[in-house]
Every structure is written in C-alpha cells, then in structure tokens.
Amino acid sequence: DVQLLESGGVSVQPVGSLTLSCAASRFTASTGCMGWFRQAPGKAREGIAAIDSDHSASYADSVKGRFTIVKDNAKTSLDLQMNNLKPEHSAMYFCAVRLARSLGPRPLRTSDFGYWGQGTQVTVS
C-alpha cells in the first residue's frame, strides 16, 4: 500500500510562512494525484490543494494566492508552501494520494483520495 509521511508542522506567528512536506513510498507520483487537506477541531476535513500527474494544480478559494502546492515526481514528494498565515489556518494538515491521472470535476473531494498520512499540526497564534 501507499505510505505517506508528513512533516514541517510547527507553531508560527500570524503573517508568517511555512512549508509542509510529504514523502510518499510505494507510489509513482508521475502517474497519480496528490493533495493536501486540513482538519480543524470540530470541523470536517477539507481539501485545500491538489495536483495531478501533469502538475496541474487546483486550490480551494480560501487559499488561492496564499498557498502553493509543489510535487516532485523524482523524489515522490509533495510540498505545501503557505504564506501570510492566519489563526484560522491552524489545523492538522494531511497529505493524500489518489490513484488516478486526473483530478476530475471535483479535484478536492476528500472521498476521492484513498491513501492518507497521519497528519502534521500547524498552529498559528
């Protein structure tokens, strides 16, 4: 099975920047999709950014222009570059894999991603 390990979550001050990383194994990044999701306490998990096998990216409206998703096929890794962070961005961030070349009409739908990491905590305060 695909295995995912996130890293980089820390406590940061508002307006700060942070990059999360995800290392994947048993997965060929050039043939699949990867994404970042987050879940705050008491809220549902939501998709924030995803990228397909051709490096075409999709973002939630709430993070457009602020977050950037980067996939390295050679390293089978996925980064999420986050800028101008706000307290409302505090959450557990998860990396996920979808075994399909394209993201489809709903690129951030949680149920379309079948493999998940354990998450990394980001706190902005």
Side-chain angles (χ1 to χ4, degrees), residues 10 13 46 49 72-73 81 100:
V10 293
Q13 294 183 343
E46 62 173 343
D72 187 327
N73 286 345
Q81 301 168 353

Side-chain angles (χ1 to χ4, degrees), residues 47-97:
I48 54 176
I51 189 166
D52 69 13
S53 59
D54 292 329
H55 295 271
S56 178
S58 297
Y59 296 91
D61 288 343
S62 60
V63 304
K64 282 181 181 177
R66 191 190 302 271
F67 291 6
T68 302
I69 189 170
V70 180
K71 181 162 68 90
D72 187 327
N73 286 345
K75 296 181 180 179
T76 319
S77 64
L78 186 73
D79 286 351
L80 183 67
Q81 301 168 353
M82 304 185 292
N83 296 313
N84 194 16
L85 287 164
K86 298 181 177 181
E88 53 262 40
H89 296 138
S90 297
M92 185 71 78
Y93 283 72
F94 298 89
C95 174
V97 159

Side-chain angles (χ1 to χ4, degrees), residues 2-68:
V2 176
Q3 295 182 338
L4 302 167
L5 181 63
E6 303 95 336
S7 62
V10 293
S11 294
V12 295
Q13 294 183 343
V15 307
S17 297
L18 188 64
T19 297
L20 303 181
S21 295
C22 172
S25 59
R26 302 178 184 177
F27 170 63
T28 303
S30 61
T31 62
C33 301
M34 300 183 77
W36 283 101
F37 297 75
R38 67 185 176 196
Q39 187 168 17
K43 295 187 177 181
R45 189 170 299 187
E46 62 173 343
I48 54 176
I51 189 166
D52 69 13
S53 59
D54 292 329
H55 295 271
S56 178
S58 297
Y59 296 91
D61 288 343
S62 60
V63 304
K64 282 181 181 177
R66 191 190 302 271
F67 291 6
T68 302

